[in-house]
Protein backbone atom coordinates (compact mmCIF):
# COMPACT_ATOMS: atom_id res chain seq x y z
CA UNK A 1 0.00 0.00 0.00
CA UNK A 2 2.82 2.33 0.94
CA UNK A 3 4.54 1.50 -2.34
CA UNK A 4 1.41 2.49 -4.27
CA UNK A 5 1.27 5.89 -2.52
CA UNK A 6 4.91 6.54 -3.35
CA UNK A 7 4.27 5.67 -7.02
CA UNK A 8 1.27 8.02 -7.13
CA UNK A 9 3.33 10.85 -5.64
CA UNK A 10 6.10 10.34 -8.20
CA UNK A 11 3.57 10.34 -11.06
CA UNK A 12 1.98 13.59 -9.82
CA UNK A 13 5.41 15.21 -9.55
CA UNK A 14 6.21 14.20 -13.11
CA UNK A 15 2.94 15.73 -14.36
CA UNK A 16 3.66 19.00 -12.54
CA UNK A 17 7.13 19.19 -14.09
CA UNK A 18 5.61 18.51 -17.53
CA UNK A 19 3.00 21.23 -17.12
CA UNK A 20 5.63 23.73 -16.01
CA UNK A 21 7.71 22.92 -19.06
CA UNK A 22 4.69 23.51 -21.33
CA UNK A 23 4.14 26.95 -19.80
CA UNK A 24 7.50 28.29 -21.06
CA UNK A 25 7.41 30.95 -23.81
CA UNK A 26 7.13 29.39 -27.29
CA UNK A 27 10.06 29.73 -29.67
CA UNK A 28 7.80 29.27 -32.72
CA UNK A 29 7.48 32.34 -34.97
CA UNK A 30 4.34 34.47 -34.69
CA UNK A 31 1.60 33.98 -37.28
CA UNK A 32 1.42 36.53 -40.09
CA UNK A 33 -0.75 39.59 -39.56
CA UNK A 34 -4.38 39.44 -40.75
CA UNK A 35 -5.01 40.62 -44.34
CA UNK A 36 -6.38 44.10 -45.07
CA UNK A 37 -9.78 42.67 -45.96
CA UNK A 38 -11.71 39.42 -45.40
CA UNK A 39 -10.30 36.66 -47.53
CA UNK A 40 -13.68 35.35 -48.74
CA UNK A 41 -17.11 36.76 -49.49
CA UNK A 42 -20.34 34.90 -48.75
CA UNK A 43 -20.47 33.60 -52.31
CA UNK A 44 -17.00 32.13 -51.98
CA UNK A 45 -17.90 30.54 -48.68
CA UNK A 46 -20.95 29.00 -50.35
CA UNK A 47 -18.74 27.67 -53.17
CA UNK A 48 -17.12 25.35 -50.64
CA UNK A 49 -20.39 23.92 -49.25
CA UNK A 50 -20.26 20.81 -51.44
CA UNK A 51 -16.76 20.16 -50.18
CA UNK A 52 -17.91 20.56 -46.55
CA UNK A 53 -20.93 18.30 -47.06
CA UNK A 54 -18.76 15.50 -48.45
CA UNK A 55 -16.45 15.75 -45.47
CA UNK A 56 -19.34 15.57 -43.01
CA UNK A 57 -20.71 12.43 -44.63
CA UNK A 58 -17.34 10.63 -44.59
CA UNK A 59 -16.24 8.38 -41.75
CA UNK A 60 -14.33 10.15 -38.99
CA UNK A 61 -10.92 8.75 -39.87
CA UNK A 62 -11.37 9.51 -43.59
CA UNK A 63 -12.52 13.05 -42.75
CA UNK A 64 -9.40 13.61 -40.68
CA UNK A 65 -7.21 12.35 -43.50
CA UNK A 66 -8.90 14.61 -46.07
CA UNK A 67 -8.60 17.59 -43.72
CA UNK A 68 -4.89 16.93 -43.26
CA UNK A 69 -4.40 16.70 -47.02
CA UNK A 70 -6.08 20.10 -47.49
CA UNK A 71 -4.01 21.83 -44.84
CA UNK A 72 -2.18 24.89 -46.16
CA UNK A 73 1.54 24.36 -46.46
CA UNK A 74 3.37 26.74 -44.12
CA UNK A 75 5.82 29.42 -45.22
CA UNK A 76 5.18 29.14 -48.96
CA UNK A 77 6.04 32.23 -50.97
CA UNK A 78 3.53 33.91 -53.26
CA UNK A 79 5.50 32.67 -56.29
CA UNK A 80 5.36 29.09 -55.04
CA UNK A 81 1.64 29.35 -54.36
CA UNK A 82 1.01 30.84 -57.79
CA UNK A 83 2.93 28.00 -59.42
CA UNK A 84 0.85 25.50 -57.45
CA UNK A 85 -2.43 27.28 -58.25
CA UNK A 86 -1.75 27.57 -62.00
CA UNK A 87 -0.43 24.01 -62.43
CA UNK A 88 -2.40 22.60 -65.42
CA UNK A 89 -5.35 20.30 -64.78
CA UNK A 90 -5.99 17.13 -66.76
CA UNK A 91 -9.27 18.53 -68.06
CA UNK A 92 -8.33 20.81 -70.96
CA UNK A 93 -11.73 22.51 -70.72
CA UNK A 94 -11.32 23.42 -67.06
CA UNK A 95 -12.14 27.03 -66.17
CA UNK A 96 -10.84 29.34 -63.46
CA UNK A 97 -13.46 28.13 -60.99
CA UNK A 98 -12.25 24.56 -61.49
CA UNK A 99 -8.75 25.66 -60.52
CA UNK A 100 -10.02 27.30 -57.32
CA UNK A 101 -11.55 23.95 -56.36
CA UNK A 102 -8.80 21.60 -57.52
CA UNK A 103 -6.05 23.76 -56.01
CA UNK A 104 -8.10 24.93 -53.05
CA UNK A 105 -5.26 25.06 -50.54
CA UNK A 106 -3.10 27.31 -52.73
CA UNK A 107 -6.13 29.46 -53.61
CA UNK A 108 -7.02 30.00 -49.95
CA UNK A 109 -3.43 30.86 -49.10
CA UNK A 110 -3.25 33.40 -51.92
CA UNK A 111 -6.58 34.99 -50.99
CA UNK A 112 -5.32 35.36 -47.42
CA UNK A 113 -2.44 37.59 -48.58
CA UNK A 114 -3.90 40.08 -51.11
CA UNK A 115 -0.89 42.43 -50.97
CA UNK A 116 1.48 39.64 -52.01
CA UNK A 117 -0.86 38.60 -54.83
CA UNK A 118 -0.96 42.15 -56.23
CA UNK A 119 2.81 42.58 -56.02
CA UNK A 120 3.41 39.26 -57.79
CA UNK A 121 0.58 39.17 -60.34
CA UNK A 122 0.17 42.74 -61.60
CA UNK A 123 3.76 43.23 -62.91
CA UNK A 124 3.51 39.94 -64.83
CA UNK A 125 0.20 40.97 -66.42
CA UNK A 126 1.60 44.37 -67.39
CA UNK A 127 4.72 42.85 -68.94
CA UNK A 128 2.98 41.22 -71.92
CA UNK A 129 -0.02 42.98 -73.47
CA UNK A 130 -0.22 40.43 -76.29
CA UNK A 131 -0.81 37.62 -73.80
CA UNK A 132 -3.81 39.58 -72.46
CA UNK A 133 -5.51 39.62 -75.84
CA UNK A 134 -7.65 36.61 -75.05
CA UNK A 135 -11.02 35.90 -73.44
CA UNK A 136 -11.68 34.91 -69.84
CA UNK A 137 -12.99 31.44 -70.73
CA UNK A 138 -9.62 29.74 -71.24
CA UNK A 139 -7.04 28.36 -68.79
CA UNK A 140 -3.85 30.11 -69.81
CA UNK A 141 -1.65 31.28 -66.94
CA UNK A 142 -2.42 34.87 -67.94
CA UNK A 143 -6.17 34.27 -67.63
CA UNK A 144 -5.80 32.56 -64.25
CA UNK A 145 -3.66 35.42 -62.93
CA UNK A 146 -6.10 38.01 -64.24
CA UNK A 147 -9.07 36.27 -62.59
CA UNK A 148 -7.12 35.93 -59.34
CA UNK A 149 -6.33 39.66 -59.37
CA UNK A 150 -10.00 40.38 -60.06
CA UNK A 151 -10.99 38.18 -57.09
CA UNK A 152 -8.44 39.90 -54.87
CA UNK A 153 -9.89 43.33 -55.68
CA UNK A 154 -13.57 42.38 -55.66
CA UNK A 155 -14.36 44.43 -52.54
CA UNK A 156 -12.69 47.54 -53.97
CA UNK A 157 -14.65 50.30 -55.78
CA UNK A 158 -13.77 49.36 -59.39
CA UNK A 159 -16.52 47.33 -61.08
CA UNK A 160 -15.01 44.55 -63.18
CA UNK A 161 -16.83 43.65 -66.38
CA UNK A 162 -17.88 40.00 -66.42
CA UNK A 163 -18.42 39.99 -70.19
CA UNK A 164 -16.51 36.98 -71.55
CA UNK A 165 -16.65 38.44 -75.08
CA UNK A 166 -14.14 41.15 -74.28
CA UNK A 167 -10.39 40.71 -74.19
CA UNK A 168 -8.71 40.72 -70.79
CA UNK A 169 -6.58 43.58 -72.11
CA UNK A 170 -9.71 45.72 -72.63
CA UNK A 171 -10.81 45.25 -69.06
CA UNK A 172 -7.36 45.67 -67.52
CA UNK A 173 -6.89 48.89 -69.53
CA UNK A 174 -10.14 50.19 -68.01
CA UNK A 175 -8.86 49.35 -64.53
CA UNK A 176 -5.59 51.15 -65.26
CA UNK A 177 -7.56 54.21 -66.35
CA UNK A 178 -9.69 54.03 -63.19
CA UNK A 179 -6.54 54.04 -61.08
CA UNK A 180 -4.90 56.74 -63.19
CA UNK A 181 -7.94 59.01 -63.10
CA UNK A 182 -8.19 58.90 -59.32
CA UNK A 183 -4.44 59.39 -58.93
CA UNK A 184 -4.56 62.54 -61.09
CA UNK A 185 -7.72 64.04 -59.61
CA UNK A 186 -7.75 62.80 -56.00
CA UNK A 187 -4.22 61.72 -55.07
CA UNK A 188 -3.05 59.05 -52.64
CA UNK A 189 -5.46 60.07 -49.88
CA UNK A 190 -8.43 58.77 -51.88
CA UNK A 191 -6.91 55.30 -52.10
CA UNK A 192 -6.03 55.27 -48.41
CA UNK A 193 -9.61 56.13 -47.48
CA UNK A 194 -11.61 54.21 -50.07
CA UNK A 195 -9.47 51.59 -51.81
CA UNK A 196 -6.25 50.53 -50.05
CA UNK A 197 -5.61 47.53 -52.29
CA UNK A 198 -6.24 49.60 -55.42
CA UNK A 199 -3.76 52.08 -53.96
CA UNK A 200 -1.20 49.29 -53.82
CA UNK A 201 -1.96 48.58 -57.50
CA UNK A 202 -1.24 52.25 -58.22
CA UNK A 203 2.11 51.95 -56.46
CA UNK A 204 2.99 48.84 -58.49
CA UNK A 205 2.00 50.56 -61.74
CA UNK A 206 4.29 53.49 -60.95
CA UNK A 207 7.27 51.22 -61.47
CA UNK A 208 6.45 51.41 -65.21
CA UNK A 209 7.29 54.93 -66.49
CA UNK A 210 4.59 55.00 -69.18
CA UNK A 211 1.88 54.26 -66.61
CA UNK A 212 3.34 56.63 -64.04
CA UNK A 213 3.43 59.47 -66.57
CA UNK A 214 -0.24 58.79 -67.26
CA UNK A 215 -0.87 59.24 -63.52
CA UNK A 216 1.11 62.47 -63.23
CA UNK A 217 -0.80 65.73 -63.68
CA UNK A 218 0.87 68.48 -65.70
CA UNK A 219 0.59 71.88 -64.03
CA UNK A 220 0.10 74.05 -65.94
CA UNK A 221 -0.93 72.51 -69.28
CA UNK A 222 -0.36 75.02 -72.08
CA UNK A 223 -0.49 72.82 -75.20
CA UNK A 224 -2.14 69.39 -75.16
CA UNK A 225 -0.60 68.30 -78.48
CA UNK A 226 2.95 68.84 -77.25
CA UNK A 227 2.20 67.36 -73.82
CA UNK A 228 0.87 64.18 -75.45
CA UNK A 229 4.01 63.76 -77.55
CA UNK A 230 6.31 64.64 -74.65
CA UNK A 231 4.86 61.98 -72.36
CA UNK A 232 5.16 59.34 -75.08
CA UNK A 233 8.80 60.28 -75.75
CA UNK A 234 9.66 60.41 -72.02
CA UNK A 235 8.18 56.94 -71.50
CA UNK A 236 10.01 55.47 -74.49
CA UNK A 237 13.34 56.95 -73.37
CA UNK A 238 12.98 55.76 -69.75
CA UNK A 239 11.88 52.29 -70.89
CA UNK A 240 14.61 52.22 -73.58
CA UNK A 241 12.34 51.41 -76.53
CA UNK A 242 10.97 52.83 -79.80
CA UNK A 243 13.61 55.52 -80.44
CA UNK A 244 13.26 55.13 -84.21
CA UNK A 245 9.47 55.22 -83.96
CA UNK A 246 9.67 58.78 -82.65
CA UNK A 247 12.37 59.88 -85.06
CA UNK A 248 15.39 59.64 -82.72
CA UNK A 249 18.61 57.84 -83.64
CA UNK A 250 19.00 56.16 -80.24
CA UNK A 251 18.47 56.89 -76.57
CA UNK A 252 21.48 57.68 -74.39
CA UNK A 253 22.60 54.94 -72.01
CA UNK A 254 21.16 54.68 -68.50
CA UNK A 255 18.51 57.33 -69.02
CA UNK A 256 16.39 55.80 -66.27
CA UNK A 257 19.02 56.70 -63.67
CA UNK A 258 17.46 59.07 -61.18
CA UNK A 259 13.90 58.26 -62.31
CA UNK A 260 13.17 55.12 -60.31
CA UNK A 261 9.75 54.70 -58.69
CA UNK A 262 10.99 55.90 -55.27
CA UNK A 263 11.62 59.43 -56.56
CA UNK A 264 9.06 62.25 -56.63
CA UNK A 265 7.92 63.21 -60.14
CA UNK A 266 6.46 66.50 -61.38
CA UNK A 267 5.35 67.55 -64.88
CA UNK A 268 5.21 71.18 -66.00
CA UNK A 269 4.81 73.07 -69.28
CA UNK A 270 5.80 76.64 -70.12
CA UNK A 271 4.28 79.11 -72.58
CA UNK A 272 6.42 77.88 -75.48
CA UNK A 273 5.00 74.39 -75.07
CA UNK A 274 8.21 72.90 -73.62
CA UNK A 275 7.45 70.09 -71.15
CA UNK A 276 9.73 69.20 -68.22
CA UNK A 277 9.66 66.02 -66.16
CA UNK A 278 11.59 66.39 -62.90
CA UNK A 279 12.46 63.53 -60.54
CA UNK A 280 13.71 64.32 -57.03
CA UNK A 281 15.22 61.79 -54.64
CA UNK A 282 13.36 62.38 -51.35
CA UNK A 283 16.45 61.47 -49.29
CA UNK A 284 19.40 63.05 -51.12
CA UNK A 285 17.34 65.79 -52.89
CA UNK A 286 19.27 65.02 -56.09
CA UNK A 287 17.41 65.93 -59.28
CA UNK A 288 17.25 64.45 -62.75
CA UNK A 289 15.12 65.88 -65.52
CA UNK A 290 13.89 65.41 -69.06
CA UNK A 291 12.87 68.46 -71.07
CA UNK A 292 10.98 68.17 -74.35
CA UNK A 293 11.30 71.07 -76.81
CA UNK A 294 8.63 70.84 -79.53
CA UNK A 295 9.01 71.71 -83.17
CA UNK A 296 6.73 74.46 -84.49
CA UNK A 297 4.43 72.10 -86.41
CA UNK A 298 3.59 69.74 -83.54
CA UNK A 299 2.36 72.68 -81.48
CA UNK A 300 -0.60 72.54 -83.90
CA UNK A 301 -0.97 68.75 -84.32
CA UNK A 302 0.60 65.84 -82.49
CA UNK A 303 1.03 64.05 -85.84
CA UNK A 304 3.52 66.61 -87.16
CA UNK A 305 6.79 65.06 -86.00
CA UNK A 306 8.70 65.32 -82.75
CA UNK A 307 11.07 67.84 -81.25
CA UNK A 308 14.25 67.70 -79.15
CA UNK A 309 14.84 65.85 -75.88
CA UNK A 310 17.20 67.26 -73.23
CA UNK A 311 18.34 64.89 -70.47
CA UNK A 312 19.89 66.44 -67.37
CA UNK A 313 21.64 63.83 -65.22
CA UNK A 314 21.76 63.94 -61.40
CA UNK A 315 25.37 65.22 -61.66
CA UNK A 316 24.21 68.20 -63.76
CA UNK A 317 25.46 67.05 -67.18
CA UNK A 318 22.97 67.67 -70.01
CA UNK A 319 22.63 65.51 -73.14
CA UNK A 320 20.76 66.84 -76.18
CA UNK A 321 18.93 64.44 -78.50
CA UNK A 322 17.13 66.02 -81.50
CA UNK A 323 14.63 64.05 -83.56
CA UNK A 324 14.76 63.99 -87.35
CA UNK A 325 11.81 66.44 -87.39
CA UNK A 326 13.15 68.80 -84.74
CA UNK A 327 13.09 71.77 -87.13
CA UNK A 328 9.68 71.11 -88.73
CA UNK A 329 7.91 74.40 -89.44
CA UNK A 330 4.20 75.19 -89.43
CA UNK A 331 2.34 76.47 -92.49
CA UNK A 332 -1.33 77.39 -92.39
CA UNK A 333 -3.56 75.92 -95.12
CA UNK A 334 -6.25 77.51 -97.25
CA UNK A 335 -9.29 75.92 -98.89
CA UNK A 336 -7.14 75.48 -101.99
CA UNK A 337 -4.87 73.08 -100.07
CA UNK A 338 -5.57 69.49 -99.02
CA UNK A 339 -6.95 69.23 -95.49
CA UNK A 340 -3.96 69.29 -93.08
CA UNK A 341 -3.32 67.36 -89.86
CA UNK A 342 -3.79 70.39 -87.59
CA UNK A 343 -7.27 70.99 -89.04
CA UNK A 344 -8.42 67.74 -87.40
CA UNK A 345 -7.93 69.31 -83.96
CA UNK A 346 -11.31 70.30 -82.50
CA UNK A 347 -12.04 73.81 -81.30
CA UNK A 348 -11.72 72.55 -77.71
CA UNK A 349 -8.16 71.34 -78.42
CA UNK A 350 -8.96 67.61 -78.57
CA UNK A 351 -7.17 65.44 -81.13
CA UNK A 352 -7.26 61.69 -81.67
CA UNK A 353 -4.25 59.99 -80.10
CA UNK A 354 -4.54 61.85 -76.79
CA UNK A 355 -4.86 59.88 -73.55
CA UNK A 356 -8.15 59.77 -71.65
CA UNK A 357 -7.04 62.10 -68.84
CA UNK A 358 -5.88 64.78 -71.28
CA UNK A 359 -9.16 64.62 -73.22
CA UNK A 360 -11.20 65.05 -70.03
CA UNK A 361 -9.04 68.00 -68.99
CA UNK A 362 -9.99 69.67 -72.31
CA UNK A 363 -13.67 68.75 -72.53
CA UNK A 364 -14.56 68.98 -68.85
CA UNK A 365 -16.57 66.30 -67.06
CA UNK A 366 -18.50 64.22 -69.61
CA UNK A 367 -22.29 64.04 -69.58
CA UNK A 368 -22.30 60.30 -70.25
CA UNK A 369 -19.77 57.46 -70.19
CA UNK A 370 -20.08 53.88 -71.38
CA UNK A 371 -18.16 50.63 -71.66
CA UNK A 372 -19.35 47.50 -73.42
CA UNK A 373 -18.44 44.90 -76.01
CA UNK A 374 -19.95 46.65 -79.02
CA UNK A 375 -19.35 50.34 -78.27
CA UNK A 376 -16.05 50.02 -76.41
CA UNK A 377 -15.05 52.71 -73.92
CA UNK A 378 -16.49 56.12 -74.64
CA UNK A 379 -18.01 59.32 -73.36
CA UNK A 380 -20.18 62.19 -74.58
CA UNK A 381 -19.50 65.87 -73.96
CA UNK A 382 -21.41 68.69 -75.70
CA UNK A 383 -23.00 66.15 -78.01
CA UNK A 384 -19.66 64.92 -79.36
CA UNK A 385 -18.88 61.24 -78.78
CA UNK A 386 -15.30 60.27 -77.89
CA UNK A 387 -14.36 56.59 -78.23
CA UNK A 388 -11.13 55.16 -76.79
CA UNK A 389 -8.90 52.14 -77.32
CA UNK A 390 -5.79 50.98 -75.47
CA UNK A 391 -2.24 51.30 -76.82
CA UNK A 392 0.76 48.98 -76.37
CA UNK A 393 1.14 50.12 -72.75
CA UNK A 394 -2.59 49.60 -71.92
CA UNK A 395 -3.20 53.35 -71.80
CA UNK A 396 -6.58 54.42 -73.16
CA UNK A 397 -6.17 56.81 -76.10
CA UNK A 398 -8.76 58.63 -78.17
CA UNK A 399 -9.44 56.53 -81.24
CA UNK A 400 -12.56 58.04 -82.80
CA UNK A 401 -14.71 61.18 -82.57
CA UNK A 402 -18.37 60.97 -83.58
CA UNK A 403 -20.74 63.77 -84.58
CA UNK A 404 -24.48 62.98 -84.68
CA UNK A 405 -27.87 64.63 -84.55
CA UNK A 406 -29.77 63.88 -81.35
CA UNK A 407 -32.24 61.56 -83.10
CA UNK A 408 -29.40 59.43 -84.52
CA UNK A 409 -27.71 58.49 -81.26
CA UNK A 410 -28.51 57.03 -77.85
CA UNK A 411 -26.99 60.08 -76.16
CA UNK A 412 -29.92 62.25 -77.29
CA UNK A 413 -27.70 65.30 -77.82
CA UNK A 414 -26.74 66.97 -81.11
CA UNK A 415 -23.03 67.65 -81.65
CA UNK A 416 -22.46 71.39 -81.99
CA UNK A 417 -18.69 71.40 -82.60
CA UNK A 418 -17.48 71.36 -86.21
CA UNK A 419 -15.02 68.77 -87.53
CA UNK A 420 -12.04 69.34 -89.83
CA UNK A 421 -12.10 72.47 -92.00
CA UNK A 422 -15.08 73.72 -89.94
CA UNK A 423 -17.47 71.21 -91.54
CA UNK A 424 -20.56 70.78 -89.33
CA UNK A 425 -23.73 68.72 -89.19
CA UNK A 426 -26.39 70.05 -91.58
CA UNK A 427 -23.94 71.67 -94.02
CA UNK A 428 -24.97 71.29 -97.69
CA UNK A 429 -22.77 69.04 -99.80
CA UNK A 430 -21.77 71.88 -102.12
CA UNK A 431 -20.53 74.01 -99.18
CA UNK A 432 -18.31 71.09 -98.18
CA UNK A 433 -16.89 70.84 -101.70
CA UNK A 434 -16.27 74.61 -101.68
CA UNK A 435 -13.84 74.11 -98.75
CA UNK A 436 -11.74 71.56 -100.63
CA UNK A 437 -9.20 71.91 -103.48
CA UNK A 438 -10.64 71.91 -106.97
CA UNK A 439 -11.32 68.38 -108.11
CA UNK A 440 -13.89 65.97 -109.44
CA UNK A 441 -17.06 66.76 -107.47
CA UNK A 442 -19.62 65.87 -110.14
CA UNK A 443 -22.15 63.46 -108.63
CA UNK A 444 -21.84 60.36 -110.83
CA UNK A 445 -23.32 57.74 -108.53
CA UNK A 446 -20.08 55.77 -108.89
CA UNK A 447 -18.95 53.26 -106.32
CA UNK A 448 -15.90 55.50 -105.77
CA UNK A 449 -14.40 58.59 -107.35
CA UNK A 450 -11.31 60.60 -106.38
CA UNK A 451 -12.01 64.24 -105.56
CA UNK A 452 -8.34 65.10 -105.05
CA UNK A 453 -4.99 63.47 -104.20
CA UNK A 454 -1.44 64.80 -103.84
CA UNK A 455 2.07 63.39 -103.53
CA UNK A 456 1.99 63.44 -99.68
CA UNK A 457 -0.89 60.98 -99.57
CA UNK A 458 -3.53 63.57 -98.67
CA UNK A 459 -6.75 62.76 -100.55
CA UNK A 460 -10.53 62.90 -100.68
CA UNK A 461 -12.77 60.22 -102.18
CA UNK A 462 -16.51 60.20 -102.80
CA UNK A 463 -18.56 57.00 -102.66
CA UNK A 464 -22.14 56.26 -103.61
CA UNK A 465 -23.22 53.62 -101.06
CA UNK A 466 -25.92 51.01 -101.59
CA UNK A 467 -27.25 52.98 -104.56
CA UNK A 468 -28.69 55.36 -101.98
CA UNK A 469 -26.43 58.01 -100.36
CA UNK A 470 -22.98 59.61 -100.63
CA UNK A 471 -20.01 59.31 -98.25
CA UNK A 472 -16.96 61.58 -98.52
CA UNK A 473 -13.70 60.32 -96.96
CA UNK A 474 -10.94 62.87 -96.37
CA UNK A 475 -7.44 61.74 -95.33
CA UNK A 476 -4.52 63.94 -94.25
CA UNK A 477 -0.87 63.29 -95.03
CA UNK A 478 -0.27 62.31 -91.38
CA UNK A 479 -3.08 59.77 -91.33
CA UNK A 480 -6.06 61.62 -89.82
CA UNK A 481 -9.33 60.59 -91.45
CA UNK A 482 -12.76 62.23 -91.65
CA UNK A 483 -15.77 60.33 -93.01
CA UNK A 484 -18.81 62.46 -93.88
CA UNK A 485 -22.15 60.77 -94.56
CA UNK A 486 -24.70 62.86 -96.47
CA UNK A 487 -28.45 62.52 -96.06
CA UNK A 488 -30.14 60.62 -98.89
CA UNK A 489 -32.96 63.12 -99.39
CA UNK A 490 -31.18 66.50 -99.46
CA UNK A 491 -27.40 65.75 -99.49
CA UNK A 492 -26.72 67.63 -96.25
CA UNK A 493 -24.18 66.38 -93.69
CA UNK A 494 -26.04 63.66 -91.74
CA UNK A 495 -23.21 62.46 -89.52
CA UNK A 496 -19.41 62.43 -89.30
CA UNK A 497 -16.67 60.27 -87.81
CA UNK A 498 -13.07 61.33 -87.32
CA UNK A 499 -10.02 59.23 -86.46
Amino acid sequence: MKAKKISALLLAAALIVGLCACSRPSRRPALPAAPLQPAFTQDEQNSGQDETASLQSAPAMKRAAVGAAQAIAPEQTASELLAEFTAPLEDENALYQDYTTAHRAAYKALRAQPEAVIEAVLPELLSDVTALERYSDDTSRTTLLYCLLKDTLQNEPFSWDADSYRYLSDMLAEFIQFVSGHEVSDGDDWFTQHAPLTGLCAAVMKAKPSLRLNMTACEPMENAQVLTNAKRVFAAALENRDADRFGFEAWAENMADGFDFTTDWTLSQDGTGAVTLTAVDPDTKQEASLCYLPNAAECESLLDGFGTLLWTKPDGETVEMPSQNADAAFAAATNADPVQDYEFVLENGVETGMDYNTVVSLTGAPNQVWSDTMAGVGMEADGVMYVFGYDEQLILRLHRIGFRFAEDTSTGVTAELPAARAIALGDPMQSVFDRLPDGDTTLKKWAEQTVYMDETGAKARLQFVADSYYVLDITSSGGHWLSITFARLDNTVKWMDMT
Side-chain angles (χ1 to χ4, degrees), residues 228-251:
T228 298
N229 279 352
K231 289 194 292 185
R232 294 168 67 200
V233 170
F234 290 163
L238 294 176
E239 295 174 7
N240 193 29
R241 58 173 173 79
D242 297 336
D244 55 345
R245 177 182 178 182
F246 298 110
F248 294 85
E249 289 188 3
W251 304 123

Side-chain angles (χ1 to χ4, degrees), residues 377 387-391 395-399:
V377 177
V387 181
F388 297 82
Y390 63 86
D391 67 6
I395 294 172
L396 289 181
R397 294 194 178 277
L398 183 59
H399 170 68

Side-chain angles (χ1 to χ4, degrees), residues 88-168:
L89 300 179
E90 291 185 6
D91 182 2
E92 295 181 354
N93 297 317
L95 300 176
Y96 171 73
Q97 194 60 38
D98 299 315
Y99 278 74
T100 65
T101 302
H103 299 154
R104 190 70 175 172
Y107 177 68
K108 284 183 177 181
L110 288 166
R111 291 301 311 281
Q113 43 185 314
E115 299 93 338
V117 169
I118 291 169
E119 291 173 355
V121 168
L122 190 52
E124 182 171 341
L125 292 177
L126 295 175
S127 67
D128 189 354
V129 175
T130 302
L132 288 163
E133 292 179 339
R134 63 180 70 246
Y135 301 111
S136 60
D137 56 354
D138 69 20
T139 54
S140 67
R141 176 181 170 88
T142 298
T143 301
L144 295 175
L145 294 183
Y146 167 85
C147 292
L148 179 61
L149 178 68
K150 179 178 170 181
D151 269 3
T152 302
L153 298 172
Q154 65 181 332
N155 293 328
E156 299 280 290
F158 181 73
S159 179
W160 295 88
D161 192 339
D163 191 342
S164 62
Y165 293 98
R166 299 184 67 194
Y167 276 161
L168 305 181

Side-chain angles (χ1 to χ4, degrees), residues 81-345:
L81 289 169
L82 286 172
E84 182 178 332
F85 175 65
T86 58
L89 300 179
E90 291 185 6
D91 182 2
E92 295 181 354
N93 297 317
L95 300 176
Y96 171 73
Q97 194 60 38
D98 299 315
Y99 278 74
T100 65
T101 302
H103 299 154
R104 190 70 175 172
Y107 177 68
K108 284 183 177 181
L110 288 166
R111 291 301 311 281
Q113 43 185 314
E115 299 93 338
V117 169
I118 291 169
E119 291 173 355
V121 168
L122 190 52
E124 182 171 341
L125 292 177
L126 295 175
S127 67
D128 189 354
V129 175
T130 302
L132 288 163
E133 292 179 339
R134 63 180 70 246
Y135 301 111
S136 60
D137 56 354
D138 69 20
T139 54
S140 67
R141 176 181 170 88
T142 298
T143 301
L144 295 175
L145 294 183
Y146 167 85
C147 292
L148 179 61
L149 178 68
K150 179 178 170 181
D151 269 3
T152 302
L153 298 172
Q154 65 181 332
N155 293 328
E156 299 280 290
F158 181 73
S159 179
W160 295 88
D161 192 339
D163 191 342
S164 62
Y165 293 98
R166 299 184 67 194
Y167 276 161
L168 305 181
S169 49
D170 288 317
M171 294 181 277
L172 189 58
E174 287 185 39
F175 175 66
I176 290 171
Q177 177 53 45
F178 175 84
V179 174
S180 172
H182 278 291
E183 180 74 27
V184 169
S185 61
D186 304 315
D188 294 338
D189 290 343
W190 184 87
F191 295 107
T192 301
Q193 183 177 357
H194 301 287
L197 290 180
T198 306
L200 177 58
C201 291
V204 171
M205 292 177 192
K206 287 179 180 178
K208 190 171 184 177
S210 52
L211 297 185
R212 184 168 186 181
L213 282 162
N214 196 43
M215 298 181 189
T216 305
C218 182
E219 298 175 351
M221 182 178 72
E222 301 289 348
N223 184 298
Q225 277 65 36
V226 176
L227 176 62
T228 298
N229 279 352
K231 289 194 292 185
R232 294 168 67 200
V233 170
F234 290 163
L238 294 176
E239 295 174 7
N240 193 29
R241 58 173 173 79
D242 297 336
D244 55 345
R245 177 182 178 182
F246 298 110
F248 294 85
E249 289 188 3
W251 304 123
E253 294 184 1
N254 304 317
M255 289 192 67
D257 288 354
F259 288 91
D260 65 77
F261 71 95
T262 65
T263 56
D264 298 322
W265 287 19
T266 56
L267 268 176
S268 61
Q269 188 174 34
D270 66 23
T272 69
V275 180
T276 301
L277 170 65
T278 304
V280 180
D281 187 305
D283 299 320
T284 65
K285 305 305 179 185
Q286 272 194 323
E287 287 189 11
S289 69
L290 293 174
C291 182
Y292 184 80
L293 306 177
N295 66 47
E298 71 176 307
C299 290
E300 307 299 328
S301 170
L302 58 85
L303 290 186
D304 287 335
F306 297 88
T308 299
L309 183 62
L310 302 178
W311 171 37
T312 302
K313 304 178 183 180
D315 62 9
E317 180 187 356
T318 298
V319 178
E320 181 175 343
M321 289 164 277
S323 78
Q324 63 187 19
N325 304 115
D327 298 323
F330 171 71
T334 68
N335 288 349
D337 300 312
V339 182
Q340 304 297 304
D341 292 322
Y342 79 91
E343 296 182 89
F344 287 78
V345 178

